[in-house]
Amino acid sequence: MSGIDLLEDARLLFERAQTHRRHFHDCTGVGDGLLWDIRRTASPDGAVHSADLILDRSVLKQAKPIIADIANNLVHALDHIAAAARRQANTGKAGRLYFPFTLDETDFAQRLAAMTDYIGADWAALFTAARTQHQPYLPLLQRLKTISNEAKHWELRPGMAGANAVQWFAPDHHIVDIPAGHFATEDGFQFWEGPAPFPNIGVMIVTAFRIRDDDAVEVDLEPVLETSATFVAGLIAAAADHLASLAPPG
C-alpha cells in the first residue's frame, strides 16, 4: 500500500463538511436574501418611521439540507477512518465498518470488540482513546449521528432560529432585548419607532440557532457541529500519526 493515502477520503469528507458549515453560516447571517434582515418602513404621511428585524422562514427551510450535509459528511468521515483501519490492518476480513457511535459504555465495548477482528487491537485502542478524551462531549456527537440518520432515512430535521437582542452604535450605543421565544411564532420584531428614519448603519444581532433532539429538547446547533468537527479532525490526525509510525524506516 506504499504511496496510498488511506485517509484521503476521510479528509475529503471532513473538508466537505467544513464547506457546508461555511455555507450554513453565510445563509443564516443578516442581509437581503439571508435568514435575518432589517426592514425600514414609514407611515403614509411620513410622520412615523420604524425598523423591524425580520426572520425569513424560507431560508430557514433551505438550511435543513445544509445541516444534513454537514452531519452526513462528518459521520461518513468517521466511517472512512474505520475503513482505512481495516485496509491497513489487512486482517483478511472484508465488509463495511461503521464507527461505533453509542453513549452506552457496554454497547460501545461490544461494538468495538466486533470491529477488532477487522481492524486489530492497535486501532481499537486508538478509537477507545479518542472516545475517552471526548467523554464529556459524547452526547453532542450522538446528536450529530441522529441528525445524519434522520436526514438519510426519515426526515430533514428543522432548525429553530431565535434572536435575543439588537444593538447599534449611532449616535449612541443602543441594545434592545427581544422576548424569549418571540420568533417561535412571529416573523418580525419592531425595535425602532420614531419621527426620524432608523440610521443607515450596521446592526448587530445576537442570534441563536437550535435544533430539537430525540427527547424534544432544543439544543444549540453550533456546539454540536463544532465539537463533532473537532472530534473528527483529532481522530484523523491520530490515525495519520499511527499510520506514520507503521511506515518502514526511510
Side-chain angles (χ1 to χ4, degrees):
M1 295 185 181
S2 176
I4 298 176
D5 182 0
L6 295 177
L7 296 172
E8 178 181 61
D9 289 345
R11 290 191 179 97
L12 290 171
L13 288 164
F14 175 78
E15 290 303 322
R16 189 61 183 170
Q18 297 303 88
T19 298
H20 288 306
R21 283 186 71 191
R22 290 190 291 270
H23 183 195
F24 172 74
H25 289 146
D26 287 344
C27 74
T28 54
V30 183
D32 185 35
L34 302 181
L35 183 61
W36 300 100
D37 200 8
I38 303 299
R39 182 178 64 196
R40 295 169 170 84
T41 57
S43 62
D45 61 3
V48 179
H49 296 262
S50 61
D52 297 74
L53 177 63
I54 302 298
L55 170 66
D56 188 335
R57 295 193 183 275
S58 67
V59 177
L60 191 60
K61 291 179 181 178
Q62 293 163 18
K64 292 198 297 181
I66 304 174
I67 296 169
D69 286 337
I70 300 169
N72 287 336
N73 279 283
L74 289 174
V75 169
H76 294 165
L78 289 173
D79 292 339
H80 277 262
I81 296 173
R86 180 184 62 79
R87 292 178 65 192
Q88 185 281 319
N90 197 24
T91 58
K93 290 183 174 290
R96 299 183 183 276
L97 296 181
Y98 299 93
F99 189 83
F101 272 97
T102 176
L103 291 175
D104 184 79
E105 295 296 335
T106 301
D107 190 19
F108 174 77
Q110 292 173 346
R111 294 189 191 190
L112 193 65
M115 289 181 65
T116 303
D117 286 343
Y118 293 81
I119 64 176
D122 52 350
W123 283 103
L126 189 151
F127 290 172
T128 300
R131 175 186 172 86
T132 300
Q133 181 181 1
H134 291 83
Q135 189 75 34
Y137 308 106
L138 293 180
L140 298 178
L141 292 170
Q142 188 62 48
R143 289 187 177 111
L144 182 87
K145 178 66 171 177
T146 299
I147 294 170
S148 175
N149 280 343
E150 294 201 352
K152 288 184 289 189
H153 303 297
W154 299 291
E155 63 180 347
L156 295 176
R157 182 156 291 200
M160 291 154 281
N164 301 320
V166 179
Q167 68 172 330
W168 63 97
F169 294 89
D172 302 308
H173 183 199
H174 301 268
I175 297 180
V176 177
D177 292 326
I178 300 174
H182 176 84
F183 284 98
T185 56
E186 303 294 331
D187 295 337
F189 175 79
Q190 184 181 94
F191 62 89
W192 167 279
E193 185 177 76
F198 181 74
N200 187 23
I201 57 172
V203 171
M204 298 179 63
I205 305 170
V206 181
T207 62
F209 199 101
R210 302 173 71 80
I211 200 159
R212 200 178 302 275
D213 69 8
D214 285 339
D215 299 320
V217 176
E218 294 181 9
V219 297
D220 288 331
L221 179 63
E222 188 57 29
V224 173
L225 300 183
E226 181 63 28
T227 297
S228 300
T230 300
F231 180 81
V232 174
L235 192 59
I236 290 175
D241 288 344
H242 180 61
L243 288 172
S245 73
L246 300 173

